[in-house]
Amino acid sequence: MVATPSIIFQPSKLGDLPFILNDLDRASSLLSGDKPVGRIYGVSGGALTATAFALALASKNNPGKWGRAASAVTDFRNFLSSAHGWDIRSLNPNPLYGRSNLNPLRRWLVKRLKSYTARSDWRISEIDVPLYICTMNRDAIFTLFGSPDDSLQCDYQFVHLGPPQDAFLIDAVIAALSTLLSTSPSQV
């Protein structure tokens, strides 16, 4: 068995909050277990769990920089367990790009990061853990955001995937949560 296993959070899409809440509970138990963790991947709704988990883990690894993020998993869970639709999404002024956008959730994420570190413009590579946010680009091709790593690429069918590209954390999370047709796409 690998000494530091990777963890993939992929419970559901953003519309299925109970599954994301269960995943946050799982993340909380993983944190309390103090087992070594390798790479952390967040796919779709799992991008929220992976982000919270990575921030809480970063607070253990570098308390001087991330110490206030120790409660990230609990904070995300508390928010999502009481969130209404308008706390997460709002109607798009131009429905050509989807009926809703994730601006309310983006604003909450900005506030949360600022409460942890006084900054919200963190790049994924600046977090002191190997976090990777998985998205789909406009051609429905899997795209990985995180610290550049040439070992994380492959050919799949007739498409080359990877390597990961660094990006702003909040932009990548919102892009991972955006769904075709219902939510406006996010530029990363």
Side-chain angles (χ1 to χ4, degrees):
M1 184 168 184
V2 178
T4 56
S6 294
I7 298 174
I8 300 172
F9 293 104
Q10 183 184 4
S12 69
K13 59 186 170 93
L14 185 58
D16 295 326
L17 288 179
F19 295 106
I20 296 173
L21 294 173
N22 289 342
D23 222 26
L24 286 163
D25 291 340
R26 182 175 142 234
S28 183
S29 68
L30 288 170
L31 282 170
S32 64
D34 265 349
K35 292 181 180 176
V37 175
R39 294 181 180 124
I40 303 161
Y41 297 94
V43 181
S44 191
L48 286 170
T49 306
T51 299
F53 183 76
L55 291 170
L57 197 59
S59 77
K60 288 182 174 186
N61 296 346
N62 188 345
K65 181 177 175 183
W66 295 101
R68 289 184 284 175
S71 63
V73 172
T74 303
D75 296 340
F76 278 56
R77 190 184 200 300
N78 288 342
F79 170 73
L80 293 172
S81 65
S82 63
H84 298 288
W86 62 81
D87 295 320
I88 295 172
R89 59 183 63 81
S90 61
L91 288 176
N92 250 350
N94 184 352
L96 181 65
Y97 300 106
R99 77 176 143 72
S100 59
N101 61 57
L102 298 176
N103 291 341
L105 179 60
R106 178 185 290 275
R107 285 189 294 273
W108 183 84
L109 288 169
V110 165
K111 285 181 193 174
R112 194 67 3 229
L113 281 176
K114 283 185 177 180
S115 75
Y116 297 148
T117 64
R119 279 182 56 195
S120 64
D121 61 344
W122 292 99
R123 290 191 162 278
I124 298 171
S125 63
E126 294 178 294
I127 299 174
D128 294 321
V129 296
L131 172 65
Y132 294 91
I133 304 294
C134 309
T135 67
M136 300 284 264
N137 70 13
R138 68 177 178 212
D139 298 321
I141 305 295
F142 184 73
T143 305
L144 195 59
F145 291 103
S147 293
D149 183 343
D150 285 337
S151 71
L152 293 176
Q153 59 182 319
C154 67
D155 291 322
Y156 179 74
Q157 303 290 1
F158 300 104
V159 178
H160 183 78
L161 305 176
Q165 304 169 47
D166 201 5
F168 289 107
L169 175 62
I170 291 176
D171 290 343
V173 170
I174 294 298
L177 297 170
S178 299
T179 55
L180 295 173
L181 303 176
S182 67
T183 310
S184 63
S186 178
Q187 185 75 24
V188 181

